[in-house]
Amino acid sequence: SLLLIQNATAFSTVPMRAAPLMRRTTTTTTTTNLFSSAVSSMAKDEEDEKQVVRLMDPRTNREIILVGCMHYNPASIQLAEKTAVDAAKSLSQSPPSPPPSFLEKLMNQKKDNESVYSGGLAAVLVESCRTRWDAANEFRSETLKEAWQRDIYDKILPNEMRAAAKVANSNGIPVVLGDQEIEITGKRVKATLKQTLQDLLTPWNGGWDRI
């Protein structure tokens, strides 16, 4: 399997909660509370499933799990971590097999984790690039030198990608950085803004039509 942690603001990230029903008797209240708790749990599971897309790669017949997240959202962080934990458990249940061919190039990107794929969950792919990932790690290790500083930072700015990566690292699973390099994105944004400004200022030359 390949687990992808990706931003998807179109997904709802607030778990549904069933409103508890009020009753007078103690027995009925207890039963109602149990029912409400069960309904709430079912609603949350159903809502979580809307954020998790499972599909099969036709070339390799391997499962791909896509988790739609909202950055820094507690529900997304919990879902990403839970999905990663559940997927990692498949390592002990799957027979050894070679890595899928479509993952080989992605596997070559790993620098910090040299574990060998042995079936089950092949990799955890997060929506980040090497530049941003290294910068975040450097800030956490170099700027936040004290353990208590890192603890506060992790509590104030929890991250769904780092939560999934932590699960992967603890299970010897490669973490793959699957996003476009920020330098490329920056250049394209600047070029687009420049072209848009030129089009706004030259309506006689078809600029407004292009916009």
Side-chain angles (χ1 to χ4, degrees):
S1 300
L2 172 65
L3 175 63
L4 299 96
I5 309 299
Q6 182 177 12
N7 180 42
T9 55
F11 287 92
S12 171
T13 54
V14 181
M16 297 170 58
R17 297 293 180 185
L21 303 176
M22 301 302 294
R23 293 292 186 273
R24 292 181 180 180
T25 64
T26 303
T27 303
T28 306
T29 300
T30 302
T31 303
T32 301
N33 288 340
L34 291 173
F35 175 77
S36 297
S37 177
V39 171
S40 177
S41 178
M42 291 172 61
K44 182 181 184 302
D45 292 340
E46 181 180 352
E47 189 69 14
D48 287 349
E49 283 302 313
K50 292 180 180 179
Q51 295 172 235
V52 179
V53 178
R54 298 173 183 272
L55 51 96
M56 299 298 293
D57 177 67
R59 284 185 55 198
T60 62
N61 198 35
R62 304 288 301 188
E63 183 183 37
I64 298 176
I65 307 171
L66 175 62
V67 182
C69 299
M70 180 177 290
H71 294 322
Y72 305 108
N73 181 285
S76 289
I77 295 170
Q78 183 179 7
L79 178 61
E81 183 176 17
K82 177 180 180 299
T83 306
V85 169
D86 292 343
K89 290 179 181 178
S90 66
L91 277 172
S92 60
Q93 302 171 358
S94 303
S97 60
S101 59
F102 85 107
L103 284 177
E104 290 178 351
K105 291 184 179 180
L106 296 179
M107 293 297 189
N108 291 333
Q109 294 182 23
K110 69 181 187 293
K111 295 182 179 179
D112 302 322
N113 193 326
E114 295 300 329
S115 63
V116 178
Y117 171 67
S118 59
L121 182 60
V124 171
L125 188 148
V126 297
E127 188 187 22
S128 186
C129 68
R130 175 59 58 184
T131 300
R132 287 181 289 159
W133 193 258
D134 287 347
N137 287 335
E138 183 178 351
F139 173 80
R140 194 174 182 279
S141 60
E142 299 297 330
T143 304
L144 307 177
K145 297 183 180 298
E146 302 295 333
W148 64 268
Q149 293 176 322
R150 292 190 290 271
D151 289 340
I152 293 177
Y153 175 79
D154 292 339
K155 290 179 180 179
I156 296 177
L157 289 175
N159 186 299
E160 73 284 351
M161 291 182 285
R162 191 162 297 281
K166 184 177 181 180
V167 174
N169 289 329
S170 64
N171 287 277
I173 299 169
V175 176
V176 178
L177 306 178
D179 205 358
Q180 177 176 263
E181 296 295 335
I182 190 64
E183 294 85 356
I184 297 176
T185 303
K187 290 179 180 179
R188 290 180 177 177
V189 169
K190 291 179 181 178
T192 300
L193 289 175
K194 181 180 179 180
Q195 184 61 52
T196 301
L197 181 59
Q198 290 177 351
D199 290 341
L200 283 172
L201 297 177
T202 57
W204 62 85
N205 196 31
W208 288 12
D209 293 334
R210 286 190 293 271
I211 295 176

